[in-house]
Each structure stands twice: as structure tokens, then as C-alpha cells.
Amino acid sequence: MAVVSWMEILLLTGLVVGCYWNSLSCGFVFDDVSAILDNKDLRPATPLRNLFLNDFWGTPMAEERSHKSYRPLTVLTFRLNYLFSELSSASYHLLNVGLHSVVCVLFLRFCRLFLDKTSSLVAALLFAVHPIHTEAVTGVVGRAELLSSIFLLAAFLAYTRSNGADQSIVWTPIAVTVVLVAAATLCKEQGITVIAICCVHEVFVAQGFTLPMLLDTLLQVLRGKDGFPYAVLQTLLKLIVLIISTLLLVIIRVQVIQSQLPVFTRFDNPAAVSPTPARQLTFNYLLPLNAWLLLNPSELCCDWTMGTIPLVESPLDLRNLATLAFYSLLGLLAFHSLRHSHSSAKTVLMALSLIVLPFIPASNLFFPVGFVVAERVLYVPSMGFCVLVAHGFRIVSHKRHLRKISWLMIGVLLATHAVKTFNRNWDWESEYTLFTSALKVNKNNAKLWNNVGHALENQNNYEKALRYFLQATRVQPDDIGAHMNVGRTYKNLNKSKEAEDAYLVAKSLMPQIIPGKKYATRVAPNHLNVYINLANLIRTNDSRLEEADQLYRQAISMRPDFKQAYISRGELLLKMNKPLEARDAYLRALELDSTNADLWYNLAIVNIEMKEPSEALKNFNHALELNPRHKLALFNSALLMQESGEPRFRPEANRRFLTYVQEEPDDANGYFNLGMLAMDANENTAAERWMREAIRLQTGFRSALFNLALLYSQSRRELDALPVLDELLRHHPEHVKGLILKGDILMNHKKDTQGAKVCFQRILSMDPTNVQGKHNLCVVYFEERDLPRAERCLEETLALAPHEEYVRRHLGIVRGKMAAMSVAGQPLSPASAEGAEEGRGATGSAGAGSKKNVRKSSSAESLSGNIQSELLDDGQADKQQRTKSKSTKEIKDIEKKRAAALKRLEEIERILSGD
């Protein structure tokens, strides 16, 4: 086996990097979104064993909606990417470029087995720059092709070492081959076809048989004239080992998909559901079409489904001539290579093997697949194509008069292909650029119009997106998905009537139930979401909740395993105040998918509605076991622990809130609740820090401002509380508790009775029945020594709260004081004191009178202070109790609002909505 030099490796690697370096600036597009962004199997929190239980897209293989594409080793490389760079697309593209370089080097070693040094290098260079590979290299999901190709080529190269010098069998390379084939198959299904390539090589290259020789040997054995030659027996033994290994891999693969083929619709592959002869004619026409893409990759398209390729419905269709020409050429090449044993025939035969055998699983000839044409599946067949081109170049370049022109042509071919590949990479920069480039090639594919609409929708450009969705319905009037997209966009534009009409059109296009026929096999699972979307739309009208429930039940009747319907129905039943039925719906969904963290979270919400906090906490914990960074489960479980008031829960609640703010660093509610936990633990410094952070993130945060002021007040930092209360009342002038706290601080610590009076009067202007505000205003009157007014005020307060003992006691104190002052002849109000003072001055006894008044005044102030102290001591104690009580109530209010907003509207609507 000719080795590959370092110079050749550097040349191939440099060429690959030159062609694909701009792919590093591309994002995740098309299938990358499902395979990378939406695939939970990439997350470190997901157990590794899930990679071997789920399909390529992260869907359990047992579920009917699974595509049955089993590629755990490919997903494992995605997971490694995520481990190092999470969702930075550049690292994923960089690894793809590196893998393509490895494939090019291995392919060069493959070519050295059948071509000379120059032509094999030409084949590898052509393979490195061929534009058909952009989907496999620049599209991240194309890594399945890259990895599978590496193991496929490695398996073949290992197998070529299985013949000893004395023509004996060397079993170690065969064992290595079987292991590498298994690895190739675990990267992508077509990897198993290398076994067939090895068989062709063994028979026609290693053993040197031709088809006539094989037939002659077989006839000799059948006539009994001779037995099998020893070389043939050795070949048969090796082939039997390879075939048994293949059968075992096939059996395992069938077991993995549980003997079920994926569900595809006429939109994915129109020919697959077409009658005879249209199905056969179309599938056979696809073969020359794929060959043409290899020959002339000038018009490449990321999606060839739906109406891209019209059906070949008649034998008279002129496209059948292309099919005949393709089969004729293929047959001539195969016949020539099988009849002769020279090196050129062997080269052609191995090239044809690489073209045909790996393509068979994607050809639709033996079983339908979910696409019509896919450029990435031509990655391995293009190797055979490149070998044929290089072989032709070798033949032509050996003719002296054609040598220069052949070199010129191959140089132009490599240059144009490299430029085309480089430019094609820019199409994969974003979903919008990708699908608009596809529309330049084909305007008859409704899926492309839909996907451009989706790209615009992601940019919140709903008006323009709607135009593309409507065009999709015109291109393919029976496209259920297009009408669903129209409905969703109208909903986003707040045009509910138009949205409902679009959903009803989509619903009318659903296949009708045929007795005795399984419904799910005739419709794409995602099309059933039309019932979910329509129900989600009409349930915004409280008078149509039963109608929405009927739609959910209809979807469930069509597919009893339709998890989405149970989830959405559970949320509706909560809204209908039917928590028991909601719980049953979620439990049924959990039977279908017990590893879904969102389902456990929703079940916990039902438990909260049913006043089952311990069950709710248990189910929140289930959700967090499955997804330790489930944001809403973190927040609401910590909130539940905090509400319980049990000190043993505080450390865990604090940890969960800390994790939550790591996930949502801009959510002020997380910091607020951390502050409340710190207050409960008397950690005032931490509480102040968290409250300040919450206020920074959310200006005018009502509860954070009040509780920070309360914290200052309880920490004897009343003067620090005043600016906080001023900010609170600037944003929320009606905040009663803030006014009460500010009034108390002004009266007790600033001795500003006028300012306190303004606060209490404002409370009573908003709520004349507010007992606490009324009582504290009475205290202000007493502080002003207006005892009659204080008495009347306390009488009015007692009428409002006849059972409040402290009000009755304070009224008694005031009345006692008034009686004592009346007996002593002292004035009961500031106005009376001023009149008496003026009368005494008129008698000319100012000096004595003044001195006596001073003493009385001093005595009165001391008594007033005692009463004031008693009033304020009781009132302050009561205030603190009420403030604490009402503070807790306020916390619960904000928590209830938070829970309602996040738990129901954001989580259930956003994550579980059919939209």
C-alpha cells in the first residue's frame, strides 16, 4: 500500500481549509436547529445512556414520531463540542472541517490502491473541493457523513490487509474491519455498505476473478467435474464471516428501531405515496438526477422535497430518456469491468462500487426515505465519481497530444469547484440566506417558502413572514404546515379571526379516519398540532374553553400516545379549575415520557393548585433530577420552600435561587427572593445586597423597595429607610404600607409630625377605613396635644375596629388624661393654651404666670410623653406585627403573580404550545 506523504497531507488540509474557512462564521441552520439547539442529549445533565436510546434528533426511538435515525457516535461528538464550547457554532464547524480533511487523506490512501500517485492525488484534490460536499461539511448535521466515511474507509483499508503473503487468511484485520463497520454504522446507517464493497474487492480484485471465470467455476462444481479450488474456499470463508457480521448488525439495527419504519408523508417524499408506475418511474429518474449533480454542481439546493421534482407519471415522459441513458452507461461500465481482469477494469469496478453500494439505502428503490434528493448522501458516492474522473484523466494525460489540455482542464475544474464551494458556504451563513438561495434554484417547493418565512418570523418580521407563508399555500394548496404557519403568524399579528380561519383550513386538510386503518401512519405527527394550535387560540376566550377541550380530546382520540395533547389539555383543565383532571392528563403524559422535566414541573403546579405542597416539592425535585438547571423548577421549588417557613429548607432554597440567578442573571425576582431568605435568616448585610441588586435590575421594584426600607427600619437604620421609601412612593404613591412606615419614621425619629400627618392623611384619602392609618393619625393629634381631636379620632377608629383592644385602651388613656387636665384647669388643646396665656398676660401677672406655664408645660409634655410612649409602644408593636403580616402578604402577592406569570403563561404556553 503506497503511503501518503506529509506534503500531500498538508496540501489536502490546506486546500480544505482554504475552501471552508468561511464556514466558521456560519450559524446553526436547517436541521442543525433540531440536532443541536433543541437536542437535550447534548447537555451534560442528560445521562450518556440516552444517546443510545434516542434517535439522532434526541427523540426516544420507541416513539412513533422518531425518525429512526440511530447515530449515537455522531451525537456523542456533538456533546463533546457542547462540553467545550456549548452552543458556539464556530467550534462545530471547525471540527467538521477537520473531519473532512481526515476523510480526504484516507481517500487518498484508498486511491493509491487502484491509481498511480498523480491520478490518485487528483482524485483526492477533486474530492476535497467538490461543491456537492458543502451540505455535509458546512451543515453541522453532515458530520454523520464525515464520521461514517472515516470509519468506512478505515474499515476497507483494514480489510485489504486480510490476505497473507502465502494467500492465507489474516483474521486480525477482519476483526478490526467488523469493529470499524459497526462504528461506521453507529455514525450513519450507510456505513454498513462497506461490507459489500469489501466483498466486491475480495472477489474481483484480491482474488482476480472475472464474471466469466466465476460462472465457469460454478458450472464446473454443479456438473461435479471438480470441487471448489482452495482459493475459492478461502474467499467463501471470508465472505461468510462478512455476511454474518452484516446480518448481525442489521438484526441489531432492526431491534433498535423496534421493527418500525419512520412515518413520512407525501410532502416529504411525494413519490413514496404515488401509485404505480409513477412511483417506480420517479424513483428511477432520481438516479440520473443525482449523477447530474455530481457532474454539474452549479445549482445546489438545501431541500428537494415536495414539488421540487415533479412526478414522472407516464412512460412517455421525456425524462425517462435520462433514466435509460443512465442505466445504459452504468451497465456498460459494469459489464466491461466485470469481463476483464486488467487494472483499469478493477479501478472502474471499485469506483462503481463506491458510487452504487453506499447510495442504495438512500435511493428509495427498496424502502422509502424521508427525502427525494439530499446532497449530503452523495458524500461517499462522490468518491467513486472522483476515482472515475481521475482514472479518465490518467488515460487522457498519457496521450502526448492531450497531456497539456488534460492538465489544463483538470486545473480549471479544481479551481472552479473550489470557488463554487467557497461561495456556496456563504449560503449557509443563516437560515434566511440558505433558504433564499434555494428559492433561486427552485420556486415550486412550498417548504422553502415556509422556511424563509420561519427565518423572518425569528426576526419578528411577521408582516414579511406572512407573505412567504401565504405564497407557500399558493404553491402547495394542500400543505397543512403552510396553513398552520399562516395561522400562527396571524396570531402573532393579533388577528385572531384570520388565525382561526387559517387553522380551520389546515384542519380540513387532515386525512379522514378510515375504519381499521391506523391513523398515525397516514399523517405527519407534527400536523396533528393543528388541533393544539387551534385550541390554544380559542381558549383565550373564556366562553370557548369547552370547545378547546374538545379539540384536545379529538387529537388524543386520533393518537392516544400524543403527548403534546395531554400536556396542553392539562394546562387548559387548570384554567377551567379542574385540577384532578389536569393531574390525570399529566400523569398520562408521564406514562408516555417519564424523562420529560417539563411534565414533572407542570404536575407540581397542579399539586400547588390542589394545596399539596409536599407533593409539589417532590415533583419539582423530579424535574430537577432530570434537568438540574430547569429554571422555573428551580425558582418555584425554592419559593415553595421559602413559603413553608421551615428553617431546614433555607439552605437548599438559597442554593436553588443562586442557581436560578446564574441562569437568569437579569431577573430581579431571583435576587429579591434571595433577599427575603436572607432577611428570614437575619443576615441583614446579604439581604441588603440582594435587594439593592433587584432594585438595580428593575427600577421601581415595589416589593424590593418596601422590604429594603423595612430591613433598614428593623435594623435601627430608619434614616437610611427614608430615601428608599421616597423612591417607592415616587413610583407607587398608593403604597399604603410604605406610607405607614414613612409616617412612623418621620414621627418617631425625625419628630416631623406634619410630614407624618401628610402620610396618614394620604392613606385615609385612598381608604377611609384603614385602621392602622387612622390610628397612627390619632397618635399625631396626641403628639400635637390636641386631645379632643385625638379622642374623636380614636372613637372613629374604634368604630372601624371594635375588637382592637389597643385602640380601646388608648382611647381610655386619652380620656383619663383629658379628665385630669380638666380638673387641674389645664387647656386640652394648643388653641386653649394660647387663649389662657393671653388672658393671664392681660392681668399683668406675666412673670409668675409665665413661670407657672413653663412648669405646666414641662409637666404636660412629660405626661404627654408617657402617653405617647405607651401609645407608640403598643402601636409600634401592633404596627410591626401588622407590617410583618402585611409584608408577608405582599411577598405572597408578588410570588403568586410571579408563579402565575411564569408557571402558566411562560412555561406551559411557550414550551408546550403547539405553535
Side-chain angles (χ1 to χ4, degrees), residues 275-289:
T276 302
R279 181 170 66 254
Q280 290 78 11
L281 292 175
T282 303
F283 283 156
N284 281 279
Y285 169 69
L286 295 179
L287 302 179
L289 181 63

Side-chain angles (χ1 to χ4, degrees), residues 698-834:
Q698 184 177 322
T699 304
F701 192 159
R702 178 186 177 108
S703 294
L705 285 166
F706 176 74
N707 281 282
L708 179 59
L710 187 63
L711 174 67
Y712 285 146
S713 176
Q714 293 173 347
S715 305
R716 298 184 179 181
R717 297 169 58 188
E718 289 83 358
L719 297 183
D720 289 336
L722 281 177
V724 178
L725 288 167
D726 289 337
E727 183 180 353
L728 169 66
L729 295 171
R730 185 170 66 252
H731 292 284
H732 309 283
E734 78 293 345
H735 197 288
V736 173
K737 289 177 287 295
L739 287 166
I740 289 174
L741 185 56
K742 182 180 179 182
D744 285 346
I745 293 173
L746 289 173
M747 186 166 58
N748 295 335
H749 300 278
K750 297 274 287 186
K751 303 302 180 184
D752 182 1
T753 55
Q754 284 300 315
K757 183 190 289 186
V758 170
C759 291
F760 300 139
Q761 286 175 339
R762 191 191 301 177
I763 293 171
L764 294 173
S765 69
M766 294 184 293
D767 180 13
T769 64
N770 188 289
V771 175
Q772 193 171 358
K774 186 78 171 175
H775 171 266
N776 287 7
L777 183 60
C778 301
V779 174
V780 172
Y781 292 148
F782 184 84
E783 179 70 18
E784 293 176 342
R785 294 179 290 174
D786 192 346
L787 298 183
R789 195 169 186 182
E791 181 187 25
R792 291 194 302 273
C793 180
L794 285 168
E795 288 172 347
E796 293 170 2
T797 306
L798 189 60
L800 292 172
H803 301 296
E804 293 289 359
E805 199 57 43
Y806 76 93
V807 178
R808 189 183 307 277
R809 185 170 65 254
H810 294 166
L811 178 58
I813 291 171
V814 172
R815 285 175 175 170
K817 178 60 179 173
M818 290 174 66
M821 292 179 71
S822 296
V823 171
Q826 296 175 357
L828 302 179
S829 66
S832 300
E834 288 175 9

Side-chain angles (χ1 to χ4, degrees), residues 19-20 22 26 134 138 421-429:
C19 287
Y20 286 100
N22 58 336
C26 298
T134 50
T138 309
T421 297
F422 184 82
N423 290 332
R424 174 63 174 159
N425 289 333
W426 291 121
D427 292 340
W428 291 80
E429 184 175 18

Side-chain angles (χ1 to χ4, degrees), residues 520-552:
T521 61
R522 297 179 295 110
V523 64
N526 63 306
H527 284 172
L528 282 175
N529 282 329
V530 66
Y531 294 94
I532 308 300
N533 295 356
L534 182 56
N536 289 345
L537 176 67
I538 66 176
R539 77 181 187 196
T540 57
N541 184 343
D542 288 345
S543 65
R544 303 181 69 183
L545 297 183
E546 289 293 344
E547 185 180 347
D549 189 35
Q550 177 62 33
L551 286 167
Y552 291 136

Side-chain angles (χ1 to χ4, degrees), residues 109 130 308 318 355 385 474 483 678 794 844 876:
R109 293 200 64 176
H130 202 295
T308 303
L318 292 178
I355 292 174
F385 170 78
R474 288 190 282 269
H483 291 285
L794 285 168
Q876 184 75 6

